[in-house]
Amino acid sequence: MDQEDYTLDIVVQGFPGKAVCHGGLGWSTIALLRGRGRVALIDVGSFGQRGLLIERLAARGLRPAQVTDVLLTHSHFDHSINWVLFSRAIIAIGAEELDWSVTEPWGETPVPELYVRELQLWPRLRRLHEGDAALPGLVAYDAPGHTPGHLIFVLSGREHDVIFTGDAAKNRAELLSLTADMTYDPKVSRASMERIWELWGRRPGTVLVPGHDVPMVLEDGRPRYIGEREAAISAWFGEDLESTRLFQLR
Ligand SMILES: [Zn+2]
């Protein structure tokens, strides 16, 4: 889809679920914006998504060194770790988010301790505040609750806007119920989600890209998915590597 002079592309689709017996699943959304001389990623995923991200960028004719900007909604590992792939990029994150992240106790949270410590030292680090244009035409807003310095990004397009909500609203169920599965304060998360709804309702056709779900638009005030869910697991339950069993997660 074209946003004035940007093109939006969901490179990896987020998944709204958790592993039952293996801890966090962390399948998060990675979005690509191209235009105005910029190649920008909004969130960059975790280790498990690293090879896939490189492959999918290559399929679009891009090498990691061509990425000019990485915008992080928040510091959690499943959204942030792959910033280290982008050697030439400006890495932008909320100032408050980064300050908080580096003080989190080691070994206790989803904050990748060493990655945020290194990020502080990155020569092309950009510390964002509410109202900053993270890219031309794309503004950062505070949306705390999931983490204290979580940002959402709103792109003003010619035909419609795009809101990147990260984990301030991870999925459709959170948006509809105004409750969050992971929050340090449900009231703070609720206020952020109400803010998202307000931004979402401002212009018809505005696309919402959540941190862990398929993008949506509003239709008669209700979210409607745009695009098919893409998620599956292939398992070796047989006696050789050729025998696989596919589990569709739809
Ligand atoms: Zn998160």
Side-chain angles (χ1 to χ4, degrees):
M1 77 196 65
D2 288 321
Q3 290 306 304
E4 206 159 7
D5 38 2
Y6 285 110
T7 303
L8 169 66
D9 213 342
I10 303 299
V11 180
V12 181
Q13 192 187 83
F15 183 75
K18 283 184 165 176
V20 176
C21 308
H22 298 84
L25 192 61
W27 288 353
S28 62
T29 302
I30 303 175
L32 172 69
L33 276 179
R34 278 179 286 181
R36 302 198 191 188
R38 313 290 267 267
V39 177
L41 289 167
I42 292 104
D43 286 341
V44 286
S46 187
F47 272 122
Q49 291 162 297
R50 184 169 285 186
L52 179 70
L53 173 55
I54 292 168
E55 250 173 52
R56 291 194 172 174
L57 287 175
R60 290 161 173 83
L62 293 170
R63 286 173 289 105
Q66 291 174 288
V67 171
T68 60
D69 298 81
V70 167
L71 313 184
L72 300 175
T73 57
H74 66 301
S75 68
H76 282 165
F77 76 96
D78 53 326
H79 296 257
S80 70
I81 273 183
N82 287 326
W83 75 262
V84 297
L85 269 65
F86 303 103
S87 57
R88 300 204 180 150
I90 293 167
I91 314 290
I93 186 170
E96 187 183 343
E97 180 74 0
L98 188 57
D99 291 343
W100 163 78
S101 298
V102 295
T103 61
E104 279 291 270
W106 283 26
E108 296 180 20
T109 79
V111 173
E113 300 85 354
L114 304 180
Y115 287 82
V116 294
R117 195 171 69 174
E118 284 298 315
L119 182 54
Q120 271 197 310
L121 308 171
W122 183 244
R124 284 176 296 288
L125 170 67
R126 183 158 174 225
R127 297 162 56 88
L128 294 173
H129 298 91
E130 160 110 4
D132 284 349
L135 294 173
L138 184 143
V139 174
Y141 289 79
D142 289 333
H146 181 70
T147 59
H150 192 297
L151 296 177
I152 59 172
F153 300 107
V154 180
L155 174 66
S156 301
R158 191 175 49 204
E159 316 242 305
H160 55 83
D161 295 349
V162 183
I163 309 177
F164 300 92
T165 66
D167 285 359
K170 294 195 283 297
N171 55 52
R172 184 173 171 272
E174 288 195 344
L175 281 163
L176 285 172
S177 65
L178 296 177
T179 54
D181 177 59
M182 280 176 73
T183 176
Y184 62 85
D185 184 336
K187 282 198 227 65
V188 176
S189 273
R190 188 186 182 95
S192 289
M193 278 193 262
E194 284 170 347
R195 185 169 210 202
I196 288 167
W197 274 100
E198 193 269 312
L199 291 163
W200 201 6
R202 269 190 201 171
R203 272 183 90 186
T206 294
V207 174
L208 185 147
V209 180
H212 293 269
D213 210 344
V214 180
M216 294 166 250
V217 291
L218 282 180
E219 206 168 79
D220 301 324
R222 298 278 296 178
R224 176 176 62 80
Y225 284 126
I226 46 173
E228 294 287 305
R229 192 178 310 290
E230 294 170 359
I233 287 175
S234 176
W236 289 292
F237 288 169
E239 297 189 358
D240 59 60
L241 293 179
E242 282 68 51
S243 315
T244 56
R245 191 162 149 197
L246 186 68
F247 296 87
Q248 288 288 354
L249 300 171
R250 284 185 187 140

PDB file of all heavy atoms in Angstrom, residues 181-200:
ATOM      1  N   ASP A 181      -2.536  -8.129  28.289  1.00  0.00           N
ATOM      2  CA  ASP A 181      -2.041  -9.373  28.888  1.00  0.00           C
ATOM      3  C   ASP A 181      -0.756  -9.142  29.685  1.00  0.00           C
ATOM      4  O   ASP A 181      -0.520  -9.809  30.675  1.00  0.00           O
ATOM      5  CB  ASP A 181      -1.809 -10.397  27.772  1.00  0.00           C
ATOM      6  CG  ASP A 181      -1.224 -11.688  28.307  1.00  0.00           C
ATOM      7  OD1 ASP A 181      -1.879 -12.306  29.163  1.00  0.00           O
ATOM      8  OD2 ASP A 181      -0.102 -12.044  27.897  1.00  0.00           O
ATOM      9  N   MET A 182       0.081  -8.219  29.250  1.00  0.00           N
ATOM     10  CA  MET A 182       1.333  -7.924  29.965  1.00  0.00           C
ATOM     11  C   MET A 182       1.398  -6.433  30.210  1.00  0.00           C
ATOM     12  O   MET A 182       1.627  -5.664  29.270  1.00  0.00           O
ATOM     13  CB  MET A 182       2.538  -8.327  29.111  1.00  0.00           C
ATOM     14  CG  MET A 182       2.886  -9.802  29.118  1.00  0.00           C
ATOM     15  SD  MET A 182       4.247 -10.096  27.963  1.00  0.00           S
ATOM     16  CE  MET A 182       5.627  -9.392  28.855  1.00  0.00           C
ATOM     17  N   THR A 183       1.190  -6.005  31.445  1.00  0.00           N
ATOM     18  CA  THR A 183       1.216  -4.574  31.748  1.00  0.00           C
ATOM     19  C   THR A 183       1.668  -4.375  33.185  1.00  0.00           C
ATOM     20  O   THR A 183       1.390  -5.220  34.043  1.00  0.00           O
ATOM     21  CB  THR A 183      -0.176  -3.941  31.536  1.00  0.00           C
ATOM     22  OG1 THR A 183      -0.143  -2.564  31.941  1.00  0.00           O
ATOM     23  CG2 THR A 183      -1.269  -4.652  32.317  1.00  0.00           C
ATOM     24  N   TYR A 184       2.360  -3.257  33.433  1.00  0.00           N
ATOM     25  CA  TYR A 184       2.731  -2.971  34.822  1.00  0.00           C
ATOM     26  C   TYR A 184       1.590  -2.258  35.538  1.00  0.00           C
ATOM     27  O   TYR A 184       1.593  -2.143  36.747  1.00  0.00           O
ATOM     28  CB  TYR A 184       4.037  -2.163  34.910  1.00  0.00           C
ATOM     29  CG  TYR A 184       3.989  -0.800  34.269  1.00  0.00           C
ATOM     30  CD1 TYR A 184       3.502   0.308  34.960  1.00  0.00           C
ATOM     31  CD2 TYR A 184       4.416  -0.628  32.963  1.00  0.00           C
ATOM     32  CE1 TYR A 184       3.446   1.557  34.367  1.00  0.00           C
ATOM     33  CE2 TYR A 184       4.353   0.618  32.361  1.00  0.00           C
ATOM     34  CZ  TYR A 184       3.871   1.703  33.062  1.00  0.00           C
ATOM     35  OH  TYR A 184       3.807   2.931  32.457  1.00  0.00           O
ATOM     36  N   ASP A 185       0.589  -1.753  34.750  1.00  0.00           N
ATOM     37  CA  ASP A 185      -0.573  -1.101  35.352  1.00  0.00           C
ATOM     38  C   ASP A 185      -1.732  -1.131  34.349  1.00  0.00           C
ATOM     39  O   ASP A 185      -1.691  -0.420  33.339  1.00  0.00           O
ATOM     40  CB  ASP A 185      -0.215   0.344  35.720  1.00  0.00           C
ATOM     41  CG  ASP A 185      -1.361   1.043  36.454  1.00  0.00           C
ATOM     42  OD1 ASP A 185      -2.531   0.632  36.291  1.00  0.00           O
ATOM     43  OD2 ASP A 185      -1.064   2.022  37.177  1.00  0.00           O
ATOM     44  N   PRO A 186      -2.755  -1.935  34.607  1.00  0.00           N
ATOM     45  CA  PRO A 186      -3.856  -2.062  33.642  1.00  0.00           C
ATOM     46  C   PRO A 186      -4.514  -0.734  33.296  1.00  0.00           C
ATOM     47  O   PRO A 186      -4.937  -0.525  32.156  1.00  0.00           O
ATOM     48  CB  PRO A 186      -4.857  -2.973  34.358  1.00  0.00           C
ATOM     49  CG  PRO A 186      -4.054  -3.722  35.375  1.00  0.00           C
ATOM     50  CD  PRO A 186      -2.935  -2.809  35.786  1.00  0.00           C
ATOM     51  N   LYS A 187      -4.560   0.183  34.248  1.00  0.00           N
ATOM     52  CA  LYS A 187      -5.212   1.475  33.975  1.00  0.00           C
ATOM     53  C   LYS A 187      -4.391   2.295  32.974  1.00  0.00           C
ATOM     54  O   LYS A 187      -4.933   2.969  32.110  1.00  0.00           O
ATOM     55  CB  LYS A 187      -5.366   2.273  35.268  1.00  0.00           C
ATOM     56  CG  LYS A 187      -6.517   1.802  36.148  1.00  0.00           C
ATOM     57  CD  LYS A 187      -6.878   2.899  37.149  1.00  0.00           C
ATOM     58  CE  LYS A 187      -7.039   2.378  38.553  1.00  0.00           C
ATOM     59  NZ  LYS A 187      -5.874   1.824  39.215  1.00  0.00           N
ATOM     60  N   VAL A 188      -3.070   2.222  33.124  1.00  0.00           N
ATOM     61  CA  VAL A 188      -2.186   2.959  32.203  1.00  0.00           C
ATOM     62  C   VAL A 188      -2.297   2.360  30.801  1.00  0.00           C
ATOM     63  O   VAL A 188      -2.392   3.080  29.796  1.00  0.00           O
ATOM     64  CB  VAL A 188      -0.727   2.935  32.716  1.00  0.00           C
ATOM     65  CG1 VAL A 188       0.222   3.592  31.732  1.00  0.00           C
ATOM     66  CG2 VAL A 188      -0.630   3.644  34.074  1.00  0.00           C
ATOM     67  N   SER A 189      -2.321   1.033  30.724  1.00  0.00           N
ATOM     68  CA  SER A 189      -2.480   0.370  29.414  1.00  0.00           C
ATOM     69  C   SER A 189      -3.816   0.726  28.778  1.00  0.00           C
ATOM     70  O   SER A 189      -3.904   0.975  27.575  1.00  0.00           O
ATOM     71  CB  SER A 189      -2.399  -1.156  29.567  1.00  0.00           C
ATOM     72  OG  SER A 189      -1.061  -1.565  29.501  1.00  0.00           O
ATOM     73  N   ARG A 190      -4.845   0.744  29.585  1.00  0.00           N
ATOM     74  CA  ARG A 190      -6.178   1.073  29.073  1.00  0.00           C
ATOM     75  C   ARG A 190      -6.193   2.492  28.487  1.00  0.00           C
ATOM     76  O   ARG A 190      -6.735   2.724  27.398  1.00  0.00           O
ATOM     77  CB  ARG A 190      -7.202   0.942  30.209  1.00  0.00           C
ATOM     78  CG  ARG A 190      -8.621   1.073  29.762  1.00  0.00           C
ATOM     79  CD  ARG A 190      -9.569   1.073  30.959  1.00  0.00           C
ATOM     80  NE  ARG A 190     -10.926   1.163  30.493  1.00  0.00           N
ATOM     81  CZ  ARG A 190     -11.727   0.123  30.287  1.00  0.00           C
ATOM     82  NH1 ARG A 190     -11.306  -1.087  30.557  1.00  0.00           N
ATOM     83  NH2 ARG A 190     -12.956   0.288  29.834  1.00  0.00           N
ATOM     84  N   ALA A 191      -5.582   3.431  29.210  1.00  0.00           N
ATOM     85  CA  ALA A 191      -5.536   4.814  28.717  1.00  0.00           C
ATOM     86  C   ALA A 191      -4.782   4.884  27.388  1.00  0.00           C
ATOM     87  O   ALA A 191      -5.169   5.624  26.473  1.00  0.00           O
ATOM     88  CB  ALA A 191      -4.887   5.722  29.759  1.00  0.00           C
ATOM     89  N   SER A 192      -3.700   4.119  27.257  1.00  0.00           N
ATOM     90  CA  SER A 192      -2.962   4.091  25.982  1.00  0.00           C
ATOM     91  C   SER A 192      -3.820   3.507  24.871  1.00  0.00           C
ATOM     92  O   SER A 192      -3.804   3.996  23.735  1.00  0.00           O
ATOM     93  CB  SER A 192      -1.669   3.284  26.132  1.00  0.00           C
ATOM     94  OG  SER A 192      -0.746   4.004  26.917  1.00  0.00           O
ATOM     95  N   MET A 193      -4.578   2.455  25.195  1.00  0.00           N
ATOM     96  CA  MET A 193      -5.428   1.857  24.155  1.00  0.00           C
ATOM     97  C   MET A 193      -6.566   2.793  23.770  1.00  0.00           C
ATOM     98  O   MET A 193      -6.948   2.875  22.597  1.00  0.00           O
ATOM     99  CB  MET A 193      -5.933   0.501  24.600  1.00  0.00           C
ATOM    100  CG  MET A 193      -4.885  -0.576  24.361  1.00  0.00           C
ATOM    101  SD  MET A 193      -5.483  -2.228  24.492  1.00  0.00           S
ATOM    102  CE  MET A 193      -4.980  -2.618  26.149  1.00  0.00           C
ATOM    103  N   GLU A 194      -7.077   3.551  24.741  1.00  0.00           N
ATOM    104  CA  GLU A 194      -8.108   4.541  24.403  1.00  0.00           C
ATOM    105  C   GLU A 194      -7.529   5.611  23.483  1.00  0.00           C
ATOM    106  O   GLU A 194      -8.177   6.074  22.551  1.00  0.00           O
ATOM    107  CB  GLU A 194      -8.680   5.160  25.683  1.00  0.00           C
ATOM    108  CG  GLU A 194      -9.623   4.189  26.370  1.00  0.00           C
ATOM    109  CD  GLU A 194     -10.050   4.614  27.774  1.00  0.00           C
ATOM    110  OE1 GLU A 194      -9.442   5.543  28.341  1.00  0.00           O
ATOM    111  OE2 GLU A 194     -10.981   3.990  28.302  1.00  0.00           O
ATOM    112  N   ARG A 195      -6.297   5.956  23.722  1.00  0.00           N
ATOM    113  CA  ARG A 195      -5.621   6.924  22.856  1.00  0.00           C
ATOM    114  C   ARG A 195      -5.468   6.358  21.437  1.00  0.00           C
ATOM    115  O   ARG A 195      -5.664   7.059  20.443  1.00  0.00           O
ATOM    116  CB  ARG A 195      -4.249   7.228  23.457  1.00  0.00           C
ATOM    117  CG  ARG A 195      -3.521   8.283  22.720  1.00  0.00           C
ATOM    118  CD  ARG A 195      -2.313   8.762  23.458  1.00  0.00           C
ATOM    119  NE  ARG A 195      -2.083  10.168  23.119  1.00  0.00           N
ATOM    120  CZ  ARG A 195      -0.916  10.767  23.255  1.00  0.00           C
ATOM    121  NH1 ARG A 195       0.108  10.130  23.753  1.00  0.00           N
ATOM    122  NH2 ARG A 195      -0.776  12.022  22.908  1.00  0.00           N
ATOM    123  N   ILE A 196      -5.119   5.080  21.365  1.00  0.00           N
ATOM    124  CA  ILE A 196      -4.988   4.421  20.053  1.00  0.00           C
ATOM    125  C   ILE A 196      -6.331   4.450  19.321  1.00  0.00           C
ATOM    126  O   ILE A 196      -6.402   4.773  18.130  1.00  0.00           O
ATOM    127  CB  ILE A 196      -4.462   2.982  20.233  1.00  0.00           C
ATOM    128  CG1 ILE A 196      -2.980   3.021  20.628  1.00  0.00           C
ATOM    129  CG2 ILE A 196      -4.672   2.161  18.966  1.00  0.00           C
ATOM    130  CD1 ILE A 196      -2.420   1.700  21.130  1.00  0.00           C
ATOM    131  N   TRP A 197      -7.413   4.147  20.038  1.00  0.00           N
ATOM    132  CA  TRP A 197      -8.745   4.165  19.409  1.00  0.00           C
ATOM    133  C   TRP A 197      -9.071   5.565  18.894  1.00  0.00           C
ATOM    134  O   TRP A 197      -9.644   5.729  17.815  1.00  0.00           O
ATOM    135  CB  TRP A 197      -9.809   3.714  20.412  1.00  0.00           C
ATOM    136  CG  TRP A 197      -9.964   2.222  20.458  1.00  0.00           C
ATOM    137  CD1 TRP A 197      -9.442   1.369  21.375  1.00  0.00           C
ATOM    138  CD2 TRP A 197     -10.705   1.413  19.528  1.00  0.00           C
ATOM    139  NE1 TRP A 197      -9.790   0.069  21.076  1.00  0.00           N
ATOM    140  CE2 TRP A 197     -10.570   0.070  19.962  1.00  0.00           C
ATOM    141  CE3 TRP A 197     -11.464   1.682  18.388  1.00  0.00           C
ATOM    142  CZ2 TRP A 197     -11.165  -0.999  19.290  1.00  0.00           C
ATOM    143  CZ3 TRP A 197     -12.059   0.615  17.711  1.00  0.00           C
ATOM    144  CH2 TRP A 197     -11.902  -0.701  18.164  1.00  0.00           C
ATOM    145  N   GLU A 198      -8.685   6.560  19.685  1.00  0.00           N
ATOM    146  CA  GLU A 198      -8.971   7.946  19.279  1.00  0.00           C
ATOM    147  C   GLU A 198      -8.210   8.275  17.993  1.00  0.00           C
ATOM    148  O   GLU A 198      -8.771   8.824  17.041  1.00  0.00           O
ATOM    149  CB  GLU A 198      -8.574   8.871  20.447  1.00  0.00           C
ATOM    150  CG  GLU A 198      -9.073  10.307  20.343  1.00  0.00           C
ATOM    151  CD  GLU A 198      -8.074  11.208  19.651  1.00  0.00           C
ATOM    152  OE1 GLU A 198      -6.875  11.163  20.015  1.00  0.00           O
ATOM    153  OE2 GLU A 198      -8.477  11.920  18.716  1.00  0.00           O
ATOM    154  N   LEU A 199      -6.938   7.884  17.947  1.00  0.00           N
ATOM    155  CA  LEU A 199      -6.129   8.132  16.743  1.00  0.00           C
ATOM    156  C   LEU A 199      -6.653   7.330  15.549  1.00  0.00           C
ATOM    157  O   LEU A 199      -6.652   7.806  14.413  1.00  0.00           O
ATOM    158  CB  LEU A 199      -4.663   7.753  17.014  1.00  0.00           C
ATOM    159  CG  LEU A 199      -3.889   8.643  17.992  1.00  0.00           C
ATOM    160  CD1 LEU A 199      -2.626   7.938  18.491  1.00  0.00           C
ATOM    161  CD2 LEU A 199      -3.526   9.971  17.309  1.00  0.00           C
ATOM    162  N   TRP A 200      -7.101   6.130  15.855  1.00  0.00           N
ATOM    163  CA  TRP A 200      -7.579   5.216  14.801  1.00  0.00           C
ATOM    164  C   TRP A 200      -8.867   5.749  14.169  1.00  0.00           C
ATOM    165  O   TRP A 200      -9.097   5.589  12.968  1.00  0.00           O
ATOM    166  CB  TRP A 200      -7.808   3.833  15.421  1.00  0.00           C
ATOM    167  CG  TRP A 200      -7.812   2.716  14.432  1.00  0.00           C
ATOM    168  CD1 TRP A 200      -7.529   2.768  13.100  1.00  0.00           C
ATOM    169  CD2 TRP A 200      -8.112   1.346  14.727  1.00  0.00           C
ATOM    170  NE1 TRP A 200      -7.627   1.514  12.551  1.00  0.00           N
ATOM    171  CE2 TRP A 200      -7.990   0.629  13.518  1.00  0.00           C
ATOM    172  CE3 TRP A 200      -8.468   0.654  15.886  1.00  0.00           C
ATOM    173  CZ2 TRP A 200      -8.215  -0.742  13.448  1.00  0.00           C
ATOM    174  CZ3 TRP A 200      -8.685  -0.708  15.820  1.00  0.00           C
ATOM    175  CH2 TRP A 200      -8.559  -1.410  14.622  1.00  0.00           C
TER     176      TRP A 200
END
